[in-house]
Amino acid sequence: MGGALRSLGNATSAIFVNPAAMVETRVYHVEALAQISPEARRQVYGGVVSDSVTGRLAGSISVLGGFIDGDGTDRSYLDARVALAYPITDRLFLGLTGKYAKIFQEGRLGAGGLGNSAVSGGLRDADDGDGGYLASVDEFTFDAGLILKVSDAVYISAVGQNLTYPKHGLLPTTVGGGVGIGTQDFSVEVDALADFNSYLDPSMRLMVGGEYLVANHFPIRLGYRFDQGAKQHALSGGLGYVGNEFAIEASVRRALADPGATTVFFSLSYHLEAAGLTRSPAEM
């Protein structure tokens, strides 16, 4: 959906975009994730567990790890998150995500298009004496979000990410939100963010996405994203199968540039609440 999920995202997606969205649905999901970007030689793997069934306080935990451009910037990283969300009322949801990022880079000077910079080449910590450099991030930060349920179909969100203000593009501070309209079979959302650190000046990011559920099991998704800082447009599309006990989903995003970049996403989730492996407090 082009990243437009800050109002309608739920379960395992909420920990990445807006933790408040975890309490929009009552589920207990375990999900494996993979992301591959061939042009950037980027691979990311990990998993998420999200529980909004066993109590009013919903919780989620995720761990992701990956590698980028082994012959260039040669970056590896670990991303670990813990999120909590609570419905203040039936119409107002609040959420917080604590995040730990460990990013290590051992590349060559000038590896990116803008040379030795935080935007292109990464953060420089120390020269290795042979024209290369070591760079790392070892930080804790947090996200905070809220969602207002205007009606059974309309949701409005506000969210801030990396709110400790790390002051670099590897953990950029962003503030924004979105408006989503969702029914049982169809949903559409528009999100906008202000990004304060990914580029030399603050920039805007716009995301629009929609989903149609065919035969109650097959989601079809389309999305559009515009990044003002990179002056880049991107289109995305996705398909999947969502059953009572498991779901398989895949999507592709393509940057409309020359040369462009492709990112492929895969996920496989298991639904413990449907399998009868967990119970809500009302059932105990």
Side-chain angles (χ1 to χ4, degrees), residues 247-260:
I248 301 174
E249 299 170 271
S251 62
V252 178
R253 183 174 68 208
R254 176 68 181 178
L256 305 180
D258 187 16

Side-chain angles (χ1 to χ4, degrees), residues 260-277:
T262 303
T263 305
V264 183
F265 306 85
F266 301 97
S267 70
L268 173 63
S269 63
Y270 185 66
H271 308 160
L272 276 73
E273 79 285 355
L277 298 179

Side-chain angles (χ1 to χ4, degrees), residues 27 32 44 55 60 63 68 74 91 94 113 127 130 133 142 160 187 190 196 200 210 219 226 245 249 261:
V27 299
V44 181
S60 185
V63 178
I68 303 173
D74 193 13
R91 298 287 182 179
L94 298 180
D127 198 305
D130 190 30
Y133 61 92
F142 73 96
S187 62
V190 178
F196 296 98
L200 296 178
F226 172 67
E245 295 186 5
E249 299 170 271

Side-chain angles (χ1 to χ4, degrees), residues 1-3 207-210 221-225 234-238:
M1 292 184 51
M207 292 149 283
V208 181
R221 302 181 180 116
L222 294 174
Y224 165 78
R225 169 181 169 135
L235 295 177
S236 59

Side-chain angles (χ1 to χ4, degrees), residues 37-43 67-76 104-112 120-121 131-133:
S37 302
E39 293 88 351
R41 287 174 289 184
R42 177 184 184 187
Q43 299 182 50
F67 308 90
I68 303 173
D69 191 15
D71 297 328
T73 55
D74 193 13
R75 183 180 298 166
S76 60
F104 183 78
Q105 180 172 304
E106 185 175 4
R108 307 299 299 175
L109 292 176
S120 180
Y133 61 92

Side-chain angles (χ1 to χ4, degrees), residues 7 33 52 58 60 64 79 89 92 95 121-122 129 159 164 174 187-188 199 206 210 252 260 267 275 282:
S7 297
L33 304 170
S52 57
S60 185
L64 301 176
D79 179 307
T89 70
L92 181 64
V159 62
T164 58
T174 65
S187 62
V188 62
Y199 306 97
L206 176 68
V252 178
S267 70

